[in-house]
Amino acid sequence: MSGAAVEYEPVIGLEIHVQLRTRTKMFCGCELSFGDEPNVHTCPRCLGLPGTLPVVNAQAVHYGIMIGLALGCEIAPRSQFHRKNYFYPDLPKGYQISQYDVPICGPGKLGEVRIHRVHLEEDAAKLVHVGESGRIHGADRSVVDFNRGGTPLAEIVTEPDLHSADEAREWLNLLRTTLRAIGVSDVNMEEGSLRCDANVSVRPLGSDQLGTKTELKNMNSFRFLAQGVKAEIERQTALLRAGEQVQQETLHFDPASGRLTPLRSKEQAHDYRYFPEPDLVPLVVTEAMLERARAELPELPADRAARLERDLGLSGERARELAFRPELGDFYEAALAAGGPQLDAVALANWIPPLVERIGSDADPAGSRVSPSALAALVALVSSRAVSQTAARDVLTLMVQSGDQPATIVEREGLGAIGGDDSGLAQVVAAAIAADPDAAEKVRDGNMKAVGPLVGYVMRETKGRADGGEITRLIREQLGL
Ligand SMILES: [Zn+2]
């Protein structure tokens, strides 16, 4: 080995469990609920009583197909449910009905990440650990809430195509946005309707072999996912640099301490003894079912981003910003429609971030005091040079506060652009040239970078109300260029 430091590359794959937004559970008629009294949505089937038989929820299958289509997956014409056997108090049957060797959706791709598979299964019940405050008979206990048991889940498994914690977070956001757009789930990480595990390994940069991976369980927010993956990448890289080996294990990330702790090995020593569920016939997806799912798919966020970039000339980054937060995309497109064909689509898009900055980064502009048509009117005032860029930012702040139309605010606050022949702008420009003859000389010699101090002088004197382009034009005119 040479003495040069080896660079390491992280390799990350994600496994995402998505609770489907059906009315009833996966294999019985109990209603789904969140936050209801414990154990009020149960029946002999989801409690696993002997003699009961499962019936597949058709809506869950429909949602599974929609997810597969949205992720570009091959839909299996015939798939199979299996029993995944393990004993745990949250699993009354002693097995989970899941899919094993033939899932409903095969390989696909979302963004730059390949999808390995998507399968349907049922959720386990919820174990609640009762501590000090809720002691039962004087002792700490764990109790089970069976309301969640049997909730339909889609498990989405990616290929290991991600290479940083930030990439993982961004891609998960694309997935969540996509699932929300197609309406199959609430995709709320805090409430557990979207849960993410990450498989993390590192390898020497340029290697095509995968290193030993660890599995990070159930990170329940985007921030914790990024923090946990980052911490694990750092831990593994440090081990390899020290000449040690990574152990294959399952880890729990504690966001409070930033520490990763192994889950006890007996909790992960699984032999699930999969076998085909004898109480269910194979799942056959007909052409009619595929057609119905295709018909219900809306424009997907990735497609919307591509359309905004292609048809309206937005930058890729701006297009994704708008498309991946549909409320921003909707507001933008409403403003674009209100502004008419002469409105500059790119200029309008550039005003969405300043608006978001002023209403709060998570807020929906539709709930703000600024209407789409008012934002379009502001952009039109800037485009026609009636208001300078700088002054328009102040106008926007006042629009957010008052809900008034931009023209009203410009009039009331005297924020209209200084320009035109009798505005006095020419005199201010002349004063700027007189105040900085060195800069003026450089500009005259063709060094346009030197124009900065002159423009800055005029901006200060006019309190930002003069139009930058108009100032430059007047400087050139007065210098005889
Ligand atoms: Zn039930």
Side-chain angles (χ1 to χ4, degrees):
M1 290 285 282
S2 76
V6 180
E7 290 288 326
Y8 289 97
E9 173 191 52
V11 179
I12 304 154
L14 301 178
E15 289 180 22
I16 303 103
H17 285 89
V18 185
Q19 282 185 348
L20 301 178
R21 201 167 65 180
T22 51
R23 192 177 61 78
T24 56
K25 293 186 180 180
M26 188 71 211
F27 299 111
C28 68
C30 290
E31 284 195 22
L32 298 194
S33 69
F34 180 81
D36 284 356
E37 281 284 293
N39 297 313
V40 295
H41 299 291
T42 64
C43 73
R45 263 190 247 161
C46 57
L47 288 176
L49 301 191
T52 56
L53 293 171
V55 176
V56 175
N57 183 329
Q59 185 68 18
V61 172
H62 175 62
Y63 283 164
I65 297 169
M66 285 183 74
I67 291 173
L69 293 176
L71 302 184
C73 293
E74 293 167 22
I75 309 295
R78 184 186 166 100
S79 61
Q80 177 77 48
F81 285 102
H82 271 66
R83 287 188 184 180
K84 180 180 181 178
N85 298 279
Y86 66 99
F87 178 78
Y88 211 65
D90 61 8
L91 199 67
K93 293 196 295 285
Y95 59 85
Q96 176 194 33
I97 304 179
S98 180
Q99 293 193 300
Y100 182 51
D101 51 356
V102 191
I104 185 166
C105 308
K109 199 170 186 210
L110 178 69
E112 295 303 305
V113 175
R114 290 168 301 151
I115 305 294
H116 177 62
R117 61 184 276 162
V118 181
H119 68 253
L120 294 172
E121 60 186 27
E122 57 179 336
D123 208 348
K126 192 171 187 176
L127 275 181
V128 182
H129 303 291
V130 183
E132 284 290 333
S133 57
R135 290 182 153 216
I136 300 173
H137 306 308
D140 290 350
R141 298 290 174 97
S142 288
V143 293
V144 191
D145 176 4
F146 286 99
N147 284 351
R148 195 181 77 176
T151 298
L153 291 180
E155 181 175 337
I156 300 165
V157 183
T158 77
E159 298 290 351
D161 286 349
L162 294 155
H163 297 287
S164 74
D166 286 338
E167 262 183 45
R169 183 177 55 189
E170 272 175 38
W171 185 83
L172 187 63
N173 186 39
L174 170 61
L175 176 68
R176 182 172 70 160
T177 307
T178 302
L179 296 172
R180 181 181 284 145
I182 65 177
V184 297
S185 172
D186 295 331
V187 289
N188 184 324
M189 284 187 96
E190 284 71 24
E191 291 180 359
S193 54
L194 181 75
R195 308 197 290 268
C196 185
D197 305 336
N199 292 308
V200 179
S201 63
V202 300
R203 64 183 175 195
L205 192 62
S207 163
D208 55 2
Q209 307 221 316
L210 291 172
T212 305
K213 70 178 178 185
T214 56
E215 187 176 5
L216 274 64
K217 280 296 201 188
N218 266 334
M219 284 157 294
N220 61 1
S221 80
F222 280 83
R223 197 155 53 90
F224 296 163
L225 169 78
Q227 286 173 356
V229 168
K230 192 159 181 286
E232 179 56 8
I233 290 169
E234 284 166 7
R235 189 187 71 88
Q236 289 189 16
T237 306
L239 278 176
L240 295 183
R241 282 199 203 290
E244 293 175 44
Q245 290 195 330
V246 174
Q247 299 300 319
Q248 182 159 357
E249 58 189 343
T250 302
L251 299 167
H252 169 77
F253 175 67
D254 178 11
S257 68
R259 287 183 41 152
L260 293 146
T261 47
L263 294 171
R264 280 173 299 154
S265 60
K266 74 171 184 184
E267 286 179 3
Q268 39 161 326
H270 293 309
D271 174 9
Y272 291 125
R273 292 169 293 119
Y274 279 100
F275 63 85
E277 166 61 63
D279 292 333
L280 289 172
V281 294
L283 177 59
V284 174
V285 176
T286 62
E287 192 52 42
M289 289 160 77
L290 281 173
E291 262 170 41
R292 193 180 139 231
R294 278 192 207 108
E296 281 184 30
L297 279 187
E299 183 184 36
L300 300 172
D303 295 339
R304 187 181 206 179
R307 176 173 59 81
L308 295 178
E309 192 177 344
R310 185 188 60 235
D311 294 355
L312 299 174
L314 307 195
S315 71
E317 193 187 352
R318 182 74 80 227
R320 284 191 295 277
E321 243 173 61
L322 298 178
F324 293 2
R325 277 186 63 188
E327 71 276 18
L328 300 187
D330 292 349
F331 190 90
Y332 169 72
E333 296 208 51
L336 194 64
Q342 70 277 20
L343 192 70
D344 182 339
V346 174
L348 175 65
N350 291 340
W351 279 95
I352 299 291
L355 174 62
V356 169
E357 203 176 283
R358 283 161 177 76
I359 62 175
S361 58
D362 292 329
D364 180 351
S368 78
R369 306 186 79 169
V370 179
S371 67
S373 63
L375 186 67
L378 177 65
V379 175
L381 287 174
V382 176
S383 295
S384 69
R385 307 203 164 188
V387 178
S388 74
Q389 283 279 353
T390 313
R393 292 182 158 261
D394 296 337
V395 175
L396 183 62
T397 303
L398 295 169
M399 287 164 70
V400 169
Q401 288 166 3
S402 66
D404 289 339
Q405 286 296 314
T408 311
I409 293 169
V410 168
E411 177 74 26
R412 188 175 68 219
E413 307 288 332
L415 288 167
I418 300 172
D421 295 339
D422 24 282
S423 63
L425 186 59
Q427 284 89 323
V428 183
V429 168
I433 290 170
D436 195 344
D438 280 354
E441 195 54 42
K442 284 180 190 156
V443 175
R444 200 177 274 117
D445 290 343
N447 177 6
M448 281 314 285
K449 278 184 191 157
V451 85
L454 302 177
V455 174
Y457 179 99
V458 178
M459 280 296 188
R460 276 194 305 280
E461 288 298 306
T462 60
K463 298 188 170 55
R465 288 167 59 205
D467 177 79
E470 179 66 4
I471 298 170
T472 313
R473 193 189 66 76
L474 284 167
I475 291 171
R476 294 174 67 95
E477 184 183 284
Q478 295 189 15
L479 292 177
L481 294 170

